[in-house]
Amino acid sequence: MGIISWIILGLIAGALAKWLMPGNDGGGWIATMALGIGGAFVGGWLGGFLGFGGADGINIGSIITATIGAFVLLFIYNRFLRG
C-alpha cells in the first residue's frame, strides 16, 4: 500500500473510531489521521496474529481492521495516558 492509501485509510479509520468512542477526545485532523494510521498498524498486527488478515488496501475489511485498531489505541489513550 502506498503512502496516500495509508493516509486515506487512516483518516477513515480514525474518524470512525472517534465517532464510535463516547466522550470528548480533542485533537484535530492530524491527531485523527495519526490515530487511524496507528490503528491500521495495530489492527493489522492483531488481525495477522489472530489469523484474520491485516490492513492491505482500501476495502471494507481493511477499514474495519484499522478502525478496531484505532479504537483499541483510543481506549488505551483515554484509560491510561490521559489520567
Side-chain angles (χ1 to χ4, degrees):
M1 234 169 51
I3 188 73
I4 301 297
S5 298
W6 278 106
I7 291 171
I8 293 169
L9 182 63
L11 281 171
I12 294 168
L16 283 172
K18 279 192 167 187
W19 181 64
L20 292 172
M21 187 78 155
N24 186 10
D25 300 315
W29 284 103
I30 301 295
T32 299
M33 189 170 50
L35 173 74
I37 292 171
F41 284 116
V42 170
W45 182 80
L46 285 174
F49 183 72
L50 297 174
F52 296 123
D56 56 358
I58 299 177
N59 54 45
I60 297 297
S62 294
I63 291 171
I64 291 171
T65 300
T67 302
I68 290 171
F71 194 79
V72 168
L73 286 179
L74 191 58
F75 177 80
I76 290 170
Y77 173 75
N78 284 336
R79 295 293 179 233
F80 299 110
L81 299 178
R82 246 175 104 187

